[in-house]
Amino acid sequence: MNAFLKTLHEQRWDDHRYYHHSRINQALHLVSALSFLVAYVLLFIDPAWAALVGWCVAMVTRQAGHYIFEPRGFDHVNQVSDEYKEAIKVGYNMNRKSVLLTVWVGLPALLWFQPSLGGLIEPAEGVMEWLHDVGTVWLALGVAGVLFRVGQLWLRDGWMPAVAWAFKIITDPVHDVILYHKAPLALLKGELLDPMHHVRKD
């Protein structure tokens, strides 16, 4: 158990120090985390709508923070290149995210032109049923995305890093609320980048 918690802590620490310098990104992660918590509750009520909230609100705000606001290039806080960070990223680096998000955007179009998915499901009647089907396939995509990366990590690094990453992904919303709840206040004070004093070694 100690080894598992140590692995989880290292993954969380690397994710924070390498990929969350922007206060805007941190604030968007707070919005994302709260949205994911809402989606978690909706899982027990209507899983399809949980997926719609998860992808359209939580994932959009989260990934907007990374794609638009998070600095790229040489990381002066950690003294490493962006290429190094992308190469050692345990979860979805920017290239893998781009592939996943491309599939995410493409699935609604597929359902629009093939409402039955080639006879796999009952065709939707009306926009609301179509949205429900979109949510269902997005939920499947989310589960498949996690399981696919777990499988890759398991084959490459063994079961512990793989399971630790899955646990990290599932519990990130709670952790992000704890970690980034002060980001909006920092933004109001005009601080666009986290000085990362707790990370710097210089």
Side-chain angles (χ1 to χ4, degrees), residues 73-189:
F74 189 79
D75 181 346
H76 293 280
V77 171
N78 297 285
Q79 292 296 303
V80 294
S81 68
D82 188 64
E83 292 76 16
Y84 172 82
K85 293 193 293 187
E86 288 291 278
I88 67 163
K89 176 75 171 174
V90 175
Y92 278 78
N93 61 18
M94 298 304 284
N95 287 334
R96 288 189 284 265
K97 283 180 185 178
S98 295
V99 172
L100 181 65
L101 293 175
T102 299
V103 175
W104 167 63
V105 169
L107 284 174
L110 176 63
L111 270 172
W112 186 261
F113 292 107
Q114 287 288 330
S116 69
L117 292 180
L120 293 176
I121 62 174
E122 285 291 323
E125 296 183 5
V127 174
M128 293 304 293
E129 283 192 16
W130 176 78
L131 277 175
H132 200 271
D133 286 348
V134 169
T136 301
V137 296
W138 277 351
L139 181 61
L141 175 64
V143 173
V146 171
L147 291 178
F148 179 75
R149 188 56 183 160
V150 166
Q152 287 182 320
L153 292 172
W154 198 309
L155 291 173
R156 191 189 74 179
D157 303 327
W159 73 268
M160 189 177 296
V163 175
W165 178 77
F167 185 80
K168 173 191 173 298
I169 288 297
I170 294 168
T171 58
D172 264 350
V174 174
H175 187 258
D176 285 352
V177 170
I178 296 169
L179 202 56
Y180 301 129
H181 68 279
K182 294 182 180 179
L185 181 59
L187 276 174
L188 288 174
K189 293 178 179 178

Side-chain angles (χ1 to χ4, degrees), residues 23-40:
R23 288 295 196 189
I24 298 176
N25 187 22
Q26 291 179 1
L28 287 172
H29 269 60
L30 177 61
V31 174
S32 171
L34 294 172
S35 302
F36 266 126
L37 292 176
V38 171
Y40 283 1

